[in-house]
């Protein structure tokens, strides 16, 4: 039998600390948690329930949609549209803002999500996850449009992700530190197992897709070359490398043992200033990383300060242990 704090209890206790809280936000988070449990269940049954493979369509980014991308997107929409907490939603899988169907009341929050991040890993049984960000709907707006979502990451009320790995985890911040919960499948509840997560300031582990090396800018190349030179190089110590190709898994690892994760600006396709999407990948992960004592930057600017110019905007991302990210930022300044 578990004797820990369940996520429901944790959220209600957090709500009690805010006198003016109406309970809407807590209910919204509960609905997101339920959606993630449903997605975790589908992910964990894989081929047994016929959810692997491609859907035969493309998303707004021109990427092939997997069946589980589409299923996860539907689960997030269905779970969060009925209760009256959301004014509108936006997703990696949908070009336009999703309006709450007319039969449901509209609430005060905007929910943005990547329903299944790392989806190239789905069919090969490697960790994937759901990333989400909650913003306030600007006052007086009944039918939010794209421009109402385009708020800098500093305006996020909450950011979180679910990680579907050997354990299913939920990692959350509401601007008061970062807490991690493990799904206890016996009772169907997330239980607080990783309170007040803190990213170590120093690390000897980096994560980057090395196959893009020839496209990188000079500061990133310099940083990685120095790491690879090990004890005999400028850094005078050996570094280790990891690349899961699931941002959720990389950020979770960094929250636990430190590290630096980079998907930097590169010259592969000059029309794309990075691979990762600002509103539903970089912003929520940056809020989590900063709340855990880490740093998140494009190399030139703090990610959370960027004013988005569209829902599906891409940005360079360099995040993780403070001293390493600051070093890469310094190399950008010097170059
Ligand atoms: O689309 C986002 C994402 O799947 C991240 O989760 C991951 O870090 C990255 O793309 C992987 O990119 P690549 O395919 O270049 O390794």
């Amino acid at each position: 039998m578990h004797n820990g704090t369940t996520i429901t209890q944790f959220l209600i206790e957090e709500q009690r600390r805010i006198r003016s809280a109406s309970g809407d936000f807590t209910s919204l988070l509960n609905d997101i948690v339920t959606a993630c449990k449903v997605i975790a269940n589908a992910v964990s049954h894989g081929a047994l329930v016929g959810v692997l493979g491609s859907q035969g369509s493309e998303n707004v980014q021109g990427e092939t949609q997997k069946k589980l991308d589409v299923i996860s997107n539907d689960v997030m929409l269905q779970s969060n549209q009925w209760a009256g907490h959301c004014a509108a939603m936006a997703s990696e899988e949908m070009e336009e803002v999703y309006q709450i169907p007319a039969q449901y009341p509209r609430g005060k929050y905007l929910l943005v999500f990547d329903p299944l991040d790392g989806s190239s890993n789905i069919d090969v049984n490697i960790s994937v996850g759901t990333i989400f960000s909650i913003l306030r709907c600007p006052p007086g707006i009944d039918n939010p449009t794209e421009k109402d979502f385009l708020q800098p990451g500093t305006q996020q009320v909450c950011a979180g992700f679910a990680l579907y790995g050997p354990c299913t985890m939920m990692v959350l911040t509401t601007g008061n530190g970062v807490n991690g919960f493990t799904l206890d499948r016996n009772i169907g509840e997330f239980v607080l197992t990783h309170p007040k997560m803190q990213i170590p300031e120093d690390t000897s582990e980096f994560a980057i897709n090395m196959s893009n090396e020839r496209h990188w800018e000079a500061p990133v190349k310099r940083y990685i070359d120095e790491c690879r030179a090990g004890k005999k190089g400028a850094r005078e110590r050996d570094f280790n490398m990891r690349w899961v190709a699931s941002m959720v898994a990389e950020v979770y690892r960094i929250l636990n043992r430190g590290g630096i994760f980079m998907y930097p600006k590169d010259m592969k396709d000059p029309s794309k200033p990075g691979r990762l999407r600002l509103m539903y990948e970089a912003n929520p992960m940056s809020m989590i990383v900063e709340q855990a004592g880490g740093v998140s930057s494009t190399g030139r600017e703090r990610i959370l300060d960027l004013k988005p110019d569209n829902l599906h905007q891409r940005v360079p991302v360099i995040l993780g242990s403070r001293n390493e990210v600051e070093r890469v930022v310094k190399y950008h300044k010097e170059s």
Side-chain angles (χ1 to χ4, degrees):
M1 186 167 150
H2 92 94
N3 56 3
T5 305
T6 66
I7 201 164
T8 315
Q9 188 183 346
F10 178 89
L11 293 173
I12 290 172
E13 281 171 5
E14 288 277 292
Q15 182 193 318
R16 282 198 195 123
R17 280 183 220 186
I18 305 166
R19 285 185 169 216
S20 57
S22 63
D24 271 9
F25 177 67
T26 306
S27 305
L28 170 58
L29 273 175
N30 272 323
D31 290 343
I32 295 171
V33 167
T34 304
C36 292
K37 288 196 269 190
V38 175
I39 299 170
N41 195 42
V43 168
S44 70
H45 284 85
L48 292 174
V49 290
V51 293
L52 301 187
S54 155
Q55 175 79 10
S57 51
E58 282 191 350
N59 68 11
V60 55
Q61 335 278 341
E63 296 160 345
T64 307
Q65 286 180 308
K66 304 278 181 173
K67 283 186 196 160
L68 267 171
D69 283 325
V70 175
I71 294 169
S72 307
N73 193 56
D74 286 349
V75 170
M76 284 295 280
L77 296 177
Q78 305 283 330
S79 297
N80 292 297
Q81 68 181 1
W82 61 274
H85 313 312
C86 285
M89 293 184 249
S91 157
E92 179 186 13
E93 301 303 329
M94 296 180 300
E95 183 154 12
E96 311 280 343
V97 167
Y98 179 83
Q99 299 297 344
I100 302 299
Q103 69 265 36
Y104 302 124
R106 289 182 183 198
K108 53 187 180 217
Y109 295 106
L110 300 175
L111 174 61
V112 195
F113 54 85
D114 177 353
L116 207 60
D117 178 65
S119 52
S120 70
N121 282 326
I122 295 172
D123 293 348
V124 288
N125 200 13
I126 297 175
S127 301
V128 289
T130 301
I131 309 176
F132 62 90
S133 158
I134 303 176
L135 297 160
R136 279 200 183 82
C137 184
I141 302 288
D142 293 330
N143 291 306
T145 59
E146 178 170 1
K147 74 171 179 2
D148 301 309
F149 281 81
L150 304 182
Q151 309 177 28
T154 47
Q155 299 299 309
Q156 292 172 106
V157 183
C158 172
F161 65 84
L163 170 64
Y164 313 118
C167 292
T168 292
M169 301 282 315
M170 175 68 72
V171 173
L172 274 184
T173 181
T174 52
N176 183 25
V178 177
N179 291 285
F181 304 81
T182 307
L183 182 62
D184 180 341
R185 288 187 188 264
N186 291 328
I187 57 165
E189 270 274 28
F190 282 101
V191 178
L192 180 63
T193 46
H194 295 64
K196 297 188 175 34
M197 300 180 90
Q198 277 291 318
I199 300 177
E201 288 193 347
D202 288 301
T203 181
S204 296
E205 197 162 68
F206 65 88
I208 194 163
N209 183 340
M210 286 295 302
S211 72
N212 292 325
E213 183 175 10
R214 67 193 181 286
H215 306 295
W216 295 339
E217 294 186 312
V220 170
K221 204 163 175 336
R222 171 180 172 196
Y223 175 78
I224 296 295
D225 283 348
E226 288 180 1
C227 292
R228 288 162 72 200
K231 278 200 184 102
K232 297 209 171 100
R235 302 300 308 274
E236 297 175 344
R237 66 178 200 265
D238 290 338
F239 279 74
N240 194 10
M241 196 196 96
R242 288 285 181 276
W243 187 247
V244 187
S246 270
M247 192 190 195
V248 277
E250 321 269 12
V251 170
Y252 186 69
R253 184 186 63 246
I254 289 171
L255 283 165
N256 279 283
R257 66 176 192 217
I260 179 167
F261 167 88
M262 301 200 251
Y263 218 117
K265 182 172 175 348
D266 65 36
M267 311 302 169
K268 199 172 179 179
D269 175 353
S271 70
K272 292 181 186 162
R275 167 155 168 76
L276 301 175
R277 276 51 63 102
L278 175 61
M279 303 260 347
Y280 39 81
E281 292 176 325
N283 268 344
M285 289 311 201
S286 298
M287 181 175 180
I288 291 168
V289 164
E290 286 198 5
Q291 283 291 318
V295 178
S296 181
S297 169
T298 62
R300 294 173 169 87
E301 290 162 283
R302 179 187 180 213
I303 288 183
L304 292 180
D305 284 337
L306 298 175
K307 170 84 180 82
D309 46 48
N310 74 76
L311 216 44
H312 301 287
Q313 177 178 348
R314 294 177 191 258
V315 284
V317 175
I318 298 165
L319 58 75
S321 293
R322 173 170 296 280
N323 292 335
E324 292 304 304
V325 178
E326 285 179 349
R327 177 180 285 267
V328 181
V329 170
K330 182 168 136 274
Y331 289 2
H332 279 81
K333 283 201 184 111
E334 285 171 10
S335 89

